[in-house]
Amino acid sequence: FPVTIAEVSDERISDAVAEVLKRELDAFEKLKSGKDQVLMYLVGQVMRELKAKADSNKIIQIIKSKI
């Protein structure tokens, strides 16, 4: 069975990103101060929130737009 990524709306991804960034404020502050290694941690948290049904590149794009 090929694994496919279900279409999750950009709005739903944005909502999940906002929720995670609110909850993980410390990690987000580290990201804003240049510690790029926390980006993948935050992506993982969003993927958990969305039950791994979203494109990680889209999540990264949305997180970076919040910086």
Side-chain angles (χ1 to χ4, degrees):
F1 290 89
V3 176
T4 58
I5 296 173
E7 284 298 313
V8 177
S9 72
D10 288 359
E11 184 179 346
R12 176 66 186 107
I13 296 171
S14 289
D15 290 348
V17 166
E19 191 63 38
V20 167
L21 295 183
K22 206 181 319 175
R23 190 172 63 226
E24 299 289 345
L25 198 54
D26 189 49
F28 186 50
E29 290 300 322
K30 287 179 183 174
L31 180 64
K32 289 197 298 190
S33 71
K35 297 193 184 329
D36 290 337
Q37 62 270 30
V38 298
L39 177 60
M40 293 317 291
Y41 169 75
L42 291 169
V43 170
Q45 295 303 304
V46 175
M47 289 293 271
R48 178 182 290 168
E49 188 83 17
L50 295 173
K51 303 188 180 6
K53 293 183 177 161
D55 178 18
S56 60
N57 291 320
K58 178 59 85 174
I59 295 170
I60 290 169
Q61 179 184 5
I62 292 172
I63 290 173
K64 285 185 173 183
S65 76
K66 305 280 185 192
I67 296 175

